[in-house]
Amino acid sequence: MPNEEIMKRVAELLASNKFDDEQMVAVAEAVERSKFPVTGVDVCTHGICIDIGIEGGLTDFDLTELVDVATGPIRSIEIFPEGIVLDDRTRVRLTQAF
C-alpha cells in the first residue's frame, strides 16, 4: 500500500479519537521512518498499533530494526507467522503508548 494511502487512513483513524496534533505527527513520522512495509495502523487499548509485513520467517529479520522508541514506549510486540506450509511471511504488531 502506498505511503500516501496509509497516511490518509491513519489521519482518518486518529481524527475520530482524542489524539492531539503532536501525537498524530509522531505516528505519521513513525510510519515514514519504518524500514519495513507498514500494512496497518490501529488505535489499541494501550496506544497505537503499527502492523509491519516482513517477507520471510522469524530468522530473516532483526527485531531491533523494527522497534522505534522515538514515538513512545513499546507496550507489546506480537509476531504472527503468516505462512501455513512455508515460513515465508511474518506480520509484526508493535503497540506503543502515547
Side-chain angles (χ1 to χ4, degrees):
M1 184 179 303
N3 265 357
E4 295 80 29
E5 182 68 22
I6 291 173
M7 294 300 188
K8 179 181 173 190
R9 290 184 185 185
V10 169
E12 291 170 355
L13 178 69
L14 295 178
S16 65
N17 290 281
K18 295 184 179 179
F19 288 100
D20 61 34
D21 290 345
E22 189 174 299
Q23 290 170 316
M24 291 174 61
V25 167
V27 171
E29 288 174 349
V31 170
E32 268 190 332
R33 282 192 306 269
S34 179
K35 295 178 185 177
F36 297 93
V38 173
T39 59
V41 177
D42 199 2
V43 176
C44 300
T45 56
H46 299 293
I48 200 86
C49 292
I50 300 174
D51 289 335
I52 300 170
I54 299 171
E55 296 299 323
L58 296 174
T59 59
D60 296 324
F61 66 93
D62 182 359
L63 191 59
T64 60
E65 292 180 356
L66 298 173
V67 178
D68 181 4
V69 294
T71 305
I74 302 293
R75 293 295 185 226
S76 69
I77 299 173
E78 299 172 61
I79 301 172
F80 305 93
E82 291 186 339
I84 295 171
V85 177
L86 298 172
D87 197 13
D88 60 350
R89 183 142 174 86
T90 304
R91 181 169 48 105
V92 178
R93 173 173 277 189
L94 301 173
T95 303
Q96 294 189 267
F98 281 118

